[in-house]
Amino acid sequence: MDPVNPTVSDLQRQFELLSPASRIGKSLRSLVAEGNVNPDEILPLIRLEPLLATRILREANLLHERKPEGYLSIEEAITAIGFQRMYDLLGLYSYPPSSDELSYSSEHWKRAITCAVCMETLAEKHRLDKQRAYTIGLIHSLAEAISESTRAQSRELGSLNNRLKKFNHSSLCFNLLSEWGLPSALIDPIRFQYAPLDCQTTGKMACLLNLAKWITGVVREVDELPDQASGPDLLVLNLLGEGEQTLWNLVTDVSDSLHLADTLLSGNYSAC
């Protein structure tokens, strides 16, 4: 696979081979091994696993009798496919067929969780659907994570190529998820995550994703946006009526939520 320009077909093939990041994979296997579990214990862990969540969303949105607007969150998708099928997917996915399988990188996994928590926090503040926002944040960088897990990045790529790669991955992620039947209300913000003002359908959610990615970059100390160092997009901030200081305050809220996620991964499922 070309590390700069993978195709949707490349991503689909590699997606099926990927196993969870090591820490979440261990927690999923531990839960499955218990045998007698209930949905309230499983859902919090599924919300921490982008690949399994995407599989569930795909299955639900490809149902013959799905609702017209599709299923816009992990919670809706689980309800649509039913507990037994969810448990089957959990069991199959928790145990990769061999130790040679590629895994979702820990760094991408941490960033996905961080962005999802950011989206949930921002959506509550702006009175948007928190579950849909969380789901968008969790799967927004799926194409990038898949492509980077399959081949080491070229060190010869300059900043311009890196910027183009990020925009290309957002388009690839949109096309991949669209191919799997995920509704536009869920994936349009992903398509326009770097240019939210161009989104004509779910513009406010796209703006929230853009801000959530900036906060993720601050929390994780990575370049989550092509222009991370320049600060959040002032046009986006003005459109949402946000102040830059408010976003810095959200870093504390996000850190608290990530601490709860860490508790869940340590096996304290009652914390949910």
Side-chain angles (χ1 to χ4, degrees):
M1 181 192 299
D2 187 301
V4 179
N5 292 308
T7 66
V8 170
S9 295
D10 292 330
L11 295 176
Q12 287 183 346
R13 286 193 297 270
Q14 297 299 337
F15 175 83
E16 303 302 339
L17 298 175
L18 280 179
S19 59
S22 57
R23 193 173 180 206
I24 182 66
K26 181 179 178 180
S27 296
L28 291 171
R29 288 190 293 274
S30 175
L31 189 60
V32 170
E34 291 181 15
N36 186 23
V37 293
N38 64 60
D40 290 337
E41 293 175 325
I42 296 177
L43 178 58
L45 282 181
I46 292 177
R47 280 169 49 90
L48 297 178
E49 214 310 279
L51 297 172
L52 179 56
T54 302
R55 282 172 164 82
I56 291 172
L57 285 162
R58 176 178 63 178
E59 182 143 337
N61 281 289
L62 290 177
L63 290 173
H64 180 66
E65 296 182 352
R66 77 167 193 171
K67 64 179 184 178
E69 65 272 26
Y71 301 102
L72 301 175
S73 69
I74 300 166
E75 290 81 359
E76 284 188 348
I78 288 174
T79 300
I81 66 173
F83 172 72
Q84 185 57 57
R85 181 55 181 163
M86 177 194 70
Y87 189 77
D88 290 344
L89 288 173
L90 176 64
L92 290 170
Y93 179 61
S94 299
Y95 294 91
S98 77
S99 59
D100 297 329
E101 295 296 329
L102 296 168
S103 64
Y104 201 96
S105 77
S106 294
E107 184 57 34
H108 272 289
W109 171 64
K110 291 176 183 177
R111 285 157 59 187
I113 301 303
T114 304
C115 189
V117 170
C118 290
M119 284 291 285
E120 187 174 49
T121 303
L122 287 168
E124 182 173 24
K125 185 175 185 294
H126 289 273
R127 299 181 181 180
L128 295 177
D129 187 326
K130 293 192 303 179
Q131 293 180 345
R132 176 160 68 104
Y134 184 96
T135 302
I136 291 169
L138 188 69
I139 67 175
H140 81 279
S141 60
L142 187 65
E144 181 180 0
I146 295 171
S147 62
E148 291 190 9
S149 70
T150 59
R151 182 173 293 185
Q153 294 297 290
S154 170
R155 297 184 181 181
E156 299 177 358
L157 294 174
S159 59
L160 176 61
N161 281 334
N162 186 55
R163 182 181 180 86
L164 291 175
K165 270 176 48 185
K166 287 181 177 293
F167 276 90
N168 185 47
H169 280 138
S170 65
S171 296
L172 280 171
C173 194
F174 169 81
N175 290 330
L176 179 68
L177 298 174
S178 179
E179 187 84 8
W180 289 338
L182 273 64
S184 61
L186 190 63
I187 61 177
D188 277 358
I190 294 172
R191 181 183 185 185
F192 292 100
Q193 58 187 279
Y194 295 112
L197 300 181
D198 293 337
C199 184
Q200 301 297 313
T201 54
T202 54
K204 192 168 185 179
M205 193 69 82
C207 287
L208 293 192
L209 179 56
N210 186 269
L211 292 184
K213 286 170 66 64
W214 183 83
I215 299 172
T216 297
V218 172
V219 173
R220 293 296 176 191
E221 298 181 344
V222 295
D223 292 330
E224 190 67 16
L225 290 172
D227 50 359
Q228 181 79 34
S230 66
D233 189 317
L234 293 180
L235 288 176
V236 172
L237 287 177
N238 290 335
L239 182 65
L240 293 174
E242 288 282 5
E244 188 170 341
Q245 184 59 47
T246 303
L247 299 186
W248 285 105
N249 293 339
L250 282 172
V251 171
T252 301
D253 296 335
V254 170
S255 297
D256 290 342
S257 295
L258 292 175
H259 178 71
L260 174 58
D262 190 67
T263 300
L264 291 173
L265 291 175
S266 298
N268 184 11
Y269 305 121
S270 63
C272 64

